[in-house]
């Protein structure tokens, strides 16, 4: 019977001795142990399994397979008796999170009639999904306050095995499917719920509940929270992050936001002046390049310039001199990229240039009669590519 399991007879049982029923290998070749009775909680009801040791051998996983509790162990026990020791820190943390979830869920129902449709107990944070699309900051604050009131009242958390007939006396938060064994977990006058998880003996042991964030999940709202020792962990972590930020910004904690706003403002104006400086520089570059034109052709080779930068420069060149043809090539790693553009008063076909260039570099490119761009492999030096482009434009 479920109710005879050690983890239900005494949820605070941390060590126990049991006869070993059998030891076998599972489908993955890992040893598992079946005990006559166990205080190890198997994964279920949103609560992760316990860990610990059996005869000093680590218990890696605990699962309920057809009513039998399998303890996956790091190696074979080879014993008829096992002494079980739970990792109590892990288990008690799970008890705090689980009871905290009951309290939080019940507070959402009590104050706003928001129902919880699922619960996740993660390694660092827990979450519940509420069947509503939107929860306001005020609602979250009220629920958090109510949940912490229930904790502070230190109400005994009662557990009771009941029959179907007895079940009718209780107004349950969620309807239960009837099974032979129903376990009620009750916080009198606040929450009555069917649950097979483990919980502390009173609400006070949850210590506190903190809602940390919400997230939209289609038509539901996910509420992330932490209970018990995890609240302190979160505080430590956030404190450390804030401390570092405060140090880097040379600002007091309360001034961090202002300091960031100021920093972002400075950054934006720096970006703007940098952009202006680039533009000025580019206009000088255009002038310098136009001076080098021979037979109306301006050509230049660059290293590490993007195709966008080449395009911009080419546009400025042909705008600066309408008779000019701009032939630009950039060597970028093992790639060669090019742009060819003509001024409004030139009639040379840029498409023709693409045609003569692409086979030499196994490249791809496109554009129109007045402006083309492309790129390919660096099979030849950039200078050579420029010569091909120049010859093509002189011959067309
Ligand atoms: Zn529970």
């Amino acid at each position: 019977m479920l109710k005879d399991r050690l983890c239900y007879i005494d949820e605070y049982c941390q060590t126990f001795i049991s006869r070993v029923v059998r030891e076998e290998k599972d489908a993955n070749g890992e040893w598992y142990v079946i005990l006559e009775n166990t205080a190890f909680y198997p994964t279920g009801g949103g609560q992760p399994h316990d860990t610990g040791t059996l005869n000093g051998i680590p218990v890696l996983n605990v699962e309920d397979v057809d009513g039998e509790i399998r303890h996956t162990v790091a190696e074979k026990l080879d014993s008829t008796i096992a002494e079980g020791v739970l990792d109590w820190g892990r288990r008690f943390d799970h008890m705090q999170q689980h009871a905290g979830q009951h309290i939080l869920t019940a507070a959402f129902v009590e104050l706003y009639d928001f129902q919880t449709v699922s619960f996740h107990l993660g390694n660092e944070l827990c979450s519940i999904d509420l069947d509503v699309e939107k929860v306001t900051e005020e609602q979250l604050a009220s629920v958090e306050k109510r949940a912490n009131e229930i904790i502070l009242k230190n109400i005994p958390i009662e557990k009771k095995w009941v029959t179907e007939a007895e079940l009718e006396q209780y107004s349950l938060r969620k309807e239960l499917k009837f099974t032979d064994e129903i376990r009620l977990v009750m916080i009198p006058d606040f929450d009555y719920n069917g649950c097979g998880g483990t919980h502390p003996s009173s609400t006070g042991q949850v210590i506190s509940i903190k809602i940390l964030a919400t997230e939209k999940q289609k038509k539901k709202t996910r509420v992330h929270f932490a209970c018990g020792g995890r609240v302190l962990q979160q505080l430590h972590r956030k404190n450390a992050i804030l401390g570092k930020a405060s140090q880097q910004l040379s600002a007091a904690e309360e001034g961090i936001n202002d300091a960031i706003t100021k920093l972002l403002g400075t950054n934006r104006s720096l970006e703007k002046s940098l952009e202006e400086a680039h533009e000025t520089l580019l206009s000088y570059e255009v002038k310098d390049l136009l001076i080098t034109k021979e037979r109306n052709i301006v050509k230049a080779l660059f290293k590490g310039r993007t195709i966008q930068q080449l395009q911009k420069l080419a546009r400025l060149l042909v705008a600066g001199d309408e008779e000019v043809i701009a032939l630009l090539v950039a060597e970028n790693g093992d790639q060669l990229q090019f742009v060819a553009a003509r001024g409004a008063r030139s009639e040379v076909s840029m498409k023709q240039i693409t045609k003569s260039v692409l086979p030499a570099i196994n490249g791809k490119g496109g554009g129109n009669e007045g402006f083309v761009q492309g790129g390919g492999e660096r099979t030849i030096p950039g200078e050579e590519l420029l010569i091909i482009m120049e010859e093509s434009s002189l011959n067309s």
Side-chain angles (χ1 to χ4, degrees), residues 12-189:
Y12 285 80
C13 175
Q14 298 174 39
T15 57
F16 64 97
I17 291 185
S18 169
R19 205 170 64 79
V20 174
V21 175
R22 62 175 204 278
E23 263 191 288
E24 278 176 18
K25 271 187 181 177
D26 64 18
N28 301 323
E30 288 182 300
W31 284 103
Y32 68 85
V33 183
I34 306 288
L35 300 174
E36 201 165 56
N37 206 340
T38 183
F40 281 91
Y41 180 81
T43 301
Q47 185 177 327
H49 64 85
D50 289 335
T51 58
T53 56
L54 286 176
N55 292 350
I57 294 166
V59 173
L60 309 172
N61 189 20
V62 186
E63 55 184 345
D64 187 331
V65 180
D66 302 326
E68 245 183 5
I69 310 288
R70 288 187 181 182
H71 307 73
T72 304
V73 279
E75 55 186 276
K76 197 170 189 249
L77 252 59
D78 262 335
S79 171
T80 52
I81 291 287
E83 188 199 13
V85 178
L86 268 65
D87 176 343
W88 186 245
R90 174 179 162 98
R91 158 64 94 73
F92 190 66
D93 167 63
H94 290 164
M95 285 161 69
Q96 286 183 312
Q97 309 311 313
H98 201 145
Q101 179 260 317
H102 282 247
I103 295 169
L104 192 67
T105 286
F108 271 115
V109 174
E110 184 191 71
L111 296 184
Y112 302 107
D113 204 21
F114 293 167
Q115 302 297 325
T116 294
V117 288
S118 66
F119 165 47
H120 173 71
L121 204 173
N123 278 335
E124 288 191 3
L125 294 181
C126 301
S127 64
I128 51 174
D129 284 352
L130 299 172
D131 68 346
V132 284
E133 280 190 51
K134 197 173 161 33
V135 186
T136 66
E137 286 300 316
E138 291 74 27
Q139 287 170 330
L140 291 172
S142 310
V143 164
E144 187 181 272
K145 184 165 174 268
R146 177 62 176 147
N148 282 291
E149 270 168 24
I150 296 292
I151 291 172
L152 193 61
K153 281 186 181 169
N154 200 20
I155 308 166
I157 301 178
E158 296 170 11
K159 296 103 190 181
K160 194 175 179 192
W161 294 90
V162 291
T163 61
E164 192 178 15
E166 287 170 310
L167 203 57
E168 286 170 10
Q169 303 165 21
Y170 300 96
S171 127
L172 295 190
R173 170 152 48 80
K174 214 161 89 183
E175 220 171 275
L176 277 183
K177 243 198 264 163
F178 181 72
T179 56
D180 292 342
E181 292 181 285
I182 293 176
R183 182 174 184 255
L184 288 187
V185 175
M186 302 174 282
I187 303 170
D189 299 324

Side-chain angles (χ1 to χ4, degrees), residues 144-287:
E144 187 181 272
K145 184 165 174 268
R146 177 62 176 147
N148 282 291
E149 270 168 24
I150 296 292
I151 291 172
L152 193 61
K153 281 186 181 169
N154 200 20
I155 308 166
I157 301 178
E158 296 170 11
K159 296 103 190 181
K160 194 175 179 192
W161 294 90
V162 291
T163 61
E164 192 178 15
E166 287 170 310
L167 203 57
E168 286 170 10
Q169 303 165 21
Y170 300 96
S171 127
L172 295 190
R173 170 152 48 80
K174 214 161 89 183
E175 220 171 275
L176 277 183
K177 243 198 264 163
F178 181 72
T179 56
D180 292 342
E181 292 181 285
I182 293 176
R183 182 174 184 255
L184 288 187
V185 175
M186 302 174 282
I187 303 170
D189 299 324
F190 182 66
D191 187 42
Y192 297 83
N193 193 33
C195 182
T198 58
H199 317 76
S201 56
S202 66
T203 61
Q205 292 177 57
V206 178
I207 303 177
S208 70
I209 293 181
K210 180 78 194 106
I211 293 175
L212 295 160
T214 58
E215 194 187 327
K216 219 171 137 53
Q217 290 282 328
K218 288 179 189 161
K219 291 194 162 179
K220 300 184 183 76
T221 303
R222 183 159 295 172
V223 179
H224 296 274
F225 65 97
C227 302
R230 295 188 185 196
V231 175
L232 215 54
Q233 274 171 18
Q234 286 292 319
L235 186 60
H236 276 305
R237 172 188 295 183
K238 290 181 195 295
N239 211 26
I241 293 171
L242 274 183
K244 244 189 203 149
S246 151
Q247 211 177 15
Q248 281 188 307
L249 293 164
S250 303
E253 221 172 89
E254 311 76 52
I256 286 180
N257 263 328
D258 288 343
I260 290 176
T261 309
K262 201 173 143 193
L263 198 66
L264 290 176
T266 312
N267 200 36
R268 268 192 294 272
S269 69
L270 280 177
E271 270 172 7
K272 207 169 160 239
S273 19
L274 194 64
E275 211 175 296
E276 284 164 6
H278 271 148
E279 294 293 324
T280 314
L281 213 57
L282 209 55
S283 69
Y284 282 114
E285 195 178 12
V286 168
K287 272 183 203 157

Side-chain angles (χ1 to χ4, degrees), residues 362-373:
N362 300 320
K364 278 183 189 162
N368 53 43
E369 286 299 337
F371 198 104
V372 292
Q373 66 273 307

